[in-house]
Amino acid sequence: MAWDFETEPEFQKQLDWMDAFVREQVAPLDLAFREPAAPYDRRHPVYKEVAVPLAAVVRQRGLWACHLAPELGGMGYGQVKLALMNEILGRSSWAPSIFGCQAPDAGNAEILAAYATAAQKRRYLEPLLAGAIVSCFSMTEPQAGADPREFTCRAERAGGQWVINGEKYFSSHADLAEFFITMAITDPTVPVHQGASMFLIPRDTPGVRIVRLAGLGGEDLGRGHHAYMRYENCRVPEDSLLGGEGQAFAIAQTRLGGGRIHHAMRTVAMVKEALRMMCERALSRRTQGEPLARKQLVQQYIADSFIQLEQFRLLVLYTAWHIDNGHTDAARTYIAAVKVQMAEVLHDVVRRAVQVHGALGCSNEMPLASLWMAVPVMGIADGPTEVHKLTVAKQVLKQHKAYDGLWPRDFLPPRVADARARLAQYLEHEAGNL
Ligand SMILES: Cc1cc2nc3c(=O)[nH]c(=O)nc-3n(C[C@H](O)[C@H](O)[C@H](O)COP(=O)(O)OP(=O)(O)OC[C@H]3O[C@@H](n4cnc5c(N)ncnc54)[C@H](O)[C@@H]3O)c2cc1C
């Protein structure tokens, strides 16, 4: 019997250690350095003087980037263990960086590991895995995100180089990254899924410009780390190509699949936090002579939230298990499914947690408002919910086929007649007993 919902005791000890470490050592960074991209600023003194020593403790404990294969400096733990770890790390904006598994660098490292040449690995992957630098994935364009057929950024060969021209939008951490992984069309005569390629572009390359930085809702205009970028006659050597020509989408899928499930794992942590806050408030706040927790409508919030959280968590773990076991087709369906579910569950549970906190829940004096902002992000970043629903539906439909006939296969009259004919002797017996 292989189904098992228990964590190995040795690994549970690691999780317990992480839980205390994040609460006691990392949480102060979350509170004192609240700017969303602060954990990515490798030049900031707090990163060097506080985060780096904490990361050293994590390494000593054998928990640094541990989802990666040992040859890449990880422990090869795989996705199920990473899911359990991310249920702790996702409570904190700093913790993923301190454990070497932050987005988007974790996904970027995975594609470099899979597609980079030895020289590219030395130059980009090694410092990235060491946590010395951060990276930027530059794919979305101002006029198109979900549908790459609308992409226009071009790369052309000229004089032994690639010349890149075009614009990108929401290239996260472009201002902090040492290099960009940029998608551009190299062959416009074929569909974009075969005609686009990925390039590795160092930050100081002439022709790469950040036009402006956007932030998320709630951040002041002009602040933020999601770049509107222009590549203007940006020349890079031929060997800047990552993987083969025309391979951009195969590469992007490697990264985005991992990125999506990792977001979902951290979302489990966010939902757990929202439910915890909701329960504590319901038990502490009194109205009409009793705690909110005694009100049946509030109890319904709590029950619905618990059920949604548990369903979502199991789906995340099951998806991680499919990935670890190399079930590529199933993993594709389940990754799309968790991607959809994470925004919906986060929405429902955070919404209820805000409601139970009243004015305080809407205020900037609780962490709930920033959890609320994560709701649209989870429904849009790495592809919108609608597109992932289409993927789920297409994959599910592949497992079924059309039934040839005027009436459906489950049409009752012929089935009942057939069953009655097969069981006629018992039916007669039954009639005789009446
Ligand atoms: C916080 C954050 C960080 C990001 N970081 C990066 C990054 O580092 N690098 C990068 O390249 N990109 C990044 N993105 C961009 C992200 O990948 C895109 O936002 C996403 O792919 C959607 O593209 P879009 O915003 O252009 O929306 P659009 O493509 O304009 O879609 C808008 C809406 O249209 C609807 N829609 C779209 N397609 C369909 C469909 N087929 N059926 C039904 N409805 C549909 C959906 O409601 C969708 O939300 C980031 C986004 C966010 C929010």
Side-chain angles (χ1 to χ4, degrees):
M1 185 64 206
W3 289 88
D4 191 348
F5 296 93
E6 281 176 350
T7 310
E8 295 155 13
E10 276 312 298
F11 191 62
Q12 186 58 52
K13 272 192 212 152
Q14 291 282 53
L15 293 174
D16 293 343
W17 177 83
M18 283 176 68
D19 186 55
F21 181 77
V22 170
R23 194 168 355 95
E24 289 156 21
Q25 308 290 331
V26 183
L29 283 168
D30 290 316
L31 295 168
F33 296 92
R34 293 162 52 84
E35 209 268 328
Y40 295 87
D41 187 353
R42 298 297 189 250
R43 293 176 208 113
H44 195 289
V46 77
Y47 187 82
K48 292 183 184 159
E49 287 162 34
V50 183
V52 169
L54 290 177
V57 177
V58 168
R59 279 174 211 271
Q60 262 175 356
R61 189 86 198 179
L63 290 170
W64 175 260
C66 54
H67 58 296
L68 291 173
E71 63 271 21
L72 295 173
M75 299 288 286
Y77 276 175
Q79 302 297 323
V80 171
K81 283 184 170 168
L82 182 65
L84 296 170
M85 293 173 69
N86 270 332
E87 287 183 15
I88 297 164
L89 303 182
R91 299 198 306 246
S92 154
S93 57
W94 277 81
S97 287
I98 289 169
F99 282 74
C101 56
Q102 74 282 6
D105 301 305
N108 290 346
E110 279 174 27
I111 59 177
L112 289 170
Y115 295 96
T117 62
Q120 288 171 337
K121 283 183 185 163
R122 266 196 307 282
R123 178 161 184 189
Y124 300 108
L125 181 59
E126 285 178 14
L128 190 61
L129 290 180
I133 61 170
V134 298
S135 58
C136 169
F137 187 74
S138 192
M139 176 172 162
T140 304
E141 301 192 0
Q143 80 290 352
D147 183 4
R149 284 167 299 193
E150 302 288 334
F151 286 176
T152 56
C153 182
R154 271 284 268 131
E156 290 168 282
R157 275 206 170 88
Q161 291 181 311
W162 286 102
V163 185
I164 302 170
N165 278 292
E167 292 189 337
K168 296 285 173 185
Y169 186 51
F170 249 75
S171 296
S172 302
H173 310 147
D175 53 329
L176 303 169
E178 284 303 314
F179 69 96
F180 308 98
I181 303 177
T182 303
M183 182 186 286
I185 295 167
T186 41
D187 183 355
T189 64
V190 296
V192 70
H193 288 89
Q194 288 122 47
S197 308
M198 288 293 192
F199 294 89
L200 290 167
I201 305 179
R203 63 173 284 124
D204 47 12
T205 307
V208 180
R209 186 157 76 85
I210 293 175
V211 180
R212 63 168 196 265
L213 288 167
L216 294 179
E219 288 181 72
D220 278 346
L221 203 59
R223 295 186 67 109
H225 298 273
H226 306 287
Y228 172 25
M229 299 192 59
R230 189 163 295 145
Y231 295 84
E232 221 162 13
N233 290 323
C234 163
R235 290 175 176 273
V236 288
E238 289 231 6
D239 62 7
S240 306
L241 199 63
L242 174 64
E245 221 176 306
Q247 268 203 304
F249 280 89
I251 296 174
Q253 279 316 318
T254 310
R255 182 196 169 281
L256 292 170
R260 286 168 189 144
I261 178 84
H262 298 165
H263 273 314
M265 294 167 179
R266 289 185 290 265
T267 301
V268 172
M270 291 192 253
V271 175
K272 276 187 175 180
E273 284 295 275
L275 177 57
R276 179 186 60 73
M277 286 183 248
M278 192 192 319
C279 292
E280 284 179 14
R281 186 65 173 173
L283 289 165
S284 321
R285 181 76 163 184
R286 294 178 70 82
T287 188
Q288 296 173 327
E290 61 183 3
L292 285 178
R294 295 286 296 275
K295 305 285 177 198
Q296 286 189 338
L297 285 174
V298 174
Q299 289 174 1
Q300 185 178 358
Y301 287 162
I302 290 164
D304 287 347
S305 301
F306 172 80
I307 293 163
Q308 282 180 285
L309 166 63
E310 290 302 308
Q311 287 175 332
F312 173 52
R313 178 174 185 253
L314 285 176
L315 192 67
V316 170
L317 288 165
Y318 190 42
T319 306
W321 177 85
H322 276 306
I323 300 173
D324 283 349
N325 286 284
H327 306 158
T328 320
D329 258 8
R332 189 152 181 249
T333 313
Y334 280 87
I335 288 172
V338 287
K339 174 71 174 68
V340 169
Q341 217 195 2
M342 73 177 153
E344 291 176 357
V345 174
L346 189 67
H347 170 275
D348 292 353
V349 178
V350 174
R351 173 77 186 83
R352 294 178 196 124
V354 168
Q355 188 73 15
V356 167
H357 281 78
L360 185 61
C362 307
S363 76
N364 59 3
E365 299 193 327
M366 286 294 290
L368 287 164
S370 34
L371 284 183
W372 185 237
M373 192 56 224
V375 171
V377 169
M378 292 310 172
I380 291 172
D382 290 349
T385 292
E386 292 87 340
V387 174
H388 293 291
K389 280 193 177 170
L390 297 180
T391 303
V392 173
K394 278 185 199 154
Q395 294 285 105
V396 171
L397 285 169
K398 274 189 205 164
Q399 294 160 22
H400 302 273
K401 53 179 193 255
Y403 183 66
D404 197 15
L406 176 60
W407 306 108
R409 186 152 66 99
D410 292 271
F411 187 57
L412 283 173
R415 294 179 65 213
V416 170
D418 182 49
R420 290 178 70 92
R422 288 173 63 175
L423 298 168
Q425 67 184 103
Y426 305 105
L427 288 167
E428 275 162 24
H429 176 75
E430 199 172 88
N433 283 342
L434 281 178

